[in-house]
Amino acid sequence: MSIIYCEKSNSQIELAGDSTSISVDTGFLTVEVAIDSLWLWTCNPKNPRSDQLMPENIFVQMAREKDTISPMIILHGQYVNYRYRFTKGMENVQKSIKKKGLKPSKIEFNKTELLYYNNSGGAPSIRAEVPIIYRNKKYLFRTILLLYKKVYYPSGDLELRYIKDLPKEKRKKP
């Protein structure tokens, strides 16, 4: 099986030996691709990306599964809040990186230690955490991904949290 991911807002998966393919206009097919993309967007503040967010029609479909009587104006307001939270979360992480003096080119982003927890609350979601090492300090990059019809969409909850100083024997020398 080979997975092809296009940088534009079109993700596609193709199965080897089979002529079937699944096209996803927005969102991500795996948690790893979602985390990678969110981290790259965070490190590049001049190019904010919101085209992988859940579109309004899918947001309304997901909301209608749980709540069938809310008027469309309420659902539209919730969707606007969802987009706003994503933009503000991205800005807060970018400010945190700048305030802490972290240089994105020198950050060690360790995807092999990716932890994620499933949450089957109102909307199925996954909390993903990736440890980040910069010089002698360890940070945690956290996000919540919404899961709807086997596609992961970023939520507005992005966070960069300081964990601890690394012991001297764990520190890497330049």
Side-chain angles (χ1 to χ4, degrees):
M1 177 197 279
S2 63
I3 296 176
I4 300 171
Y5 172 73
C6 299
E7 185 58 35
K8 295 181 182 173
S9 67
N10 201 5
S11 302
Q12 192 170 30
I13 186 169
E14 294 184 11
L15 303 175
D18 193 357
S19 62
T20 61
S21 64
I22 303 166
S23 180
V24 179
D25 292 336
T26 58
F28 302 100
L29 297 173
T30 64
V31 175
E32 291 81 12
V33 172
I35 293 295
D36 280 345
S37 297
L38 287 172
W39 180 249
L40 289 174
W41 300 341
T42 302
C43 292
N44 189 4
K46 293 181 181 179
N47 187 17
R49 297 285 306 258
S50 61
D51 59 351
Q52 295 297 325
L53 286 175
M54 185 180 292
E56 189 168 4
N57 61 349
I58 295 176
F59 185 86
V60 169
Q61 285 176 4
M62 186 177 76
R64 288 288 181 214
E65 288 180 2
K66 302 288 181 191
D67 181 15
T68 58
I69 59 172
S70 292
M72 277 302 293
I73 191 125
I74 299 292
L75 294 178
H76 177 71
Q78 290 174 348
Y79 180 72
V80 170
N81 185 29
Y82 162 71
R83 291 185 69 89
Y84 176 78
R85 278 190 13 223
F86 175 76
T87 311
K88 279 308 209 184
M90 187 72 71
E91 288 174 4
N92 288 340
V93 170
Q94 289 170 349
K95 283 181 187 177
S96 180
I97 287 174
K98 189 174 183 179
K99 184 178 177 182
K100 292 175 174 145
L102 307 177
K103 295 181 177 145
S105 61
K106 295 185 178 183
I107 291 176
E108 186 181 321
F109 186 72
N110 197 349
K111 292 185 306 186
T112 58
E113 295 183 30
L114 171 68
L115 298 174
Y116 54 92
Y117 311 98
N118 292 330
N119 179 11
S120 60
S125 61
I126 291 177
R127 188 173 104 189
E129 301 176 346
V130 180
I132 295 170
I133 298 173
Y134 181 75
R135 295 191 180 174
N136 62 346
K137 300 190 185 303
K138 189 172 184 178
Y139 297 90
L140 195 63
F141 179 66
R142 285 183 177 171
T143 186
I144 295 179
L145 301 171
L146 300 173
L147 176 63
Y148 185 69
K149 294 188 178 180
K150 298 182 182 179
V151 179
Y152 298 97
Y153 297 100
S155 162
D157 303 321
L158 293 167
E159 182 182 12
L160 184 68
R161 179 178 285 183
Y162 169 76
I163 298 177
K164 63 180 178 179
D165 288 336
L166 294 175
K168 290 185 179 184
E169 62 270 1
K170 295 274 183 170
R171 294 181 189 167
K172 291 186 175 183
K173 294 181 181 178

